[in-house]
Amino acid sequence: QVQTVESGGGSVQAGGSLRLSCAASGYTISDHCMGWFRQAPGKEREGVAFITSYDSTGYAGSVRGRFTISQDNAKNILYLEMNSLKPEDTALYYCAAARRPGGICYSFSPADFGYWGQGTQVTVSS
């Protein structure tokens, strides 16, 4: 049974840090391009950070230099380290696996990802 569970969200003040985790079961994260996405109220879901099977990473411009994506293949867990948080980072954060087999990130569109979890809320106050 495929399951994705995000955790680690919370409420922090601007400038603070959080570490999100994404525990996968029923599939192997190292077989997929994996991504972190976020969705704020009234906005579309957007890609935040991505990682390939070869640990190549990519980031949205708004988080580059502040967020770091990583994966522990032995534990089958994806992480997102978030530093220097800003109020505009407030959103529900999700992780997902690319639908296309293989570990390369061919697309960053949420429509091309699956195995979505329920998300974890991040709230940053000014």
Side-chain angles (χ1 to χ4, degrees), residues 9 17 24 27 29-30 58 74-75 77 93-94 99 105 108 117 123:
S17 299
Y27 67 99
I29 62 172
S30 60
K75 296 181 178 179
I77 297 177
Y93 282 72
Y94 303 87
R99 298 181 189 278
C105 296
F108 303 124
T123 303

Side-chain angles (χ1 to χ4, degrees), residues 41-61:
K43 295 188 176 181
E44 293 187 353
R45 191 168 299 187
E46 63 174 353
V48 174
F50 300 88
I51 188 166
T52 72
S53 295
Y54 310 100
D55 286 337
S56 294
T57 59
Y59 299 91

Side-chain angles (χ1 to χ4, degrees), residues 64-95:
R64 190 175 294 119
R66 299 188 298 121
F67 290 12
T68 302
I69 187 172
S70 62
Q71 55 191 354
D72 185 329
N73 294 331
K75 296 181 178 179
N76 213 32
I77 297 177
L78 184 73
Y79 299 102
L80 185 67
E81 185 77 34
M82 305 187 297
N83 298 312
S84 302
L85 283 161
K86 304 176 181 180
E88 51 264 44
D89 294 320
T90 294
L92 191 58
Y93 282 72
Y94 303 87
C95 73

Side-chain angles (χ1 to χ4, degrees), residues 8-37:
S11 296
V12 297
Q13 290 192 328
S17 299
L18 285 172
R19 188 193 196 199
L20 305 185
S21 298
C22 167
S25 58
Y27 67 99
T28 302
I29 62 172
S30 60
D31 289 341
H32 298 264
C33 162
M34 296 296 298
W36 282 100
F37 298 80

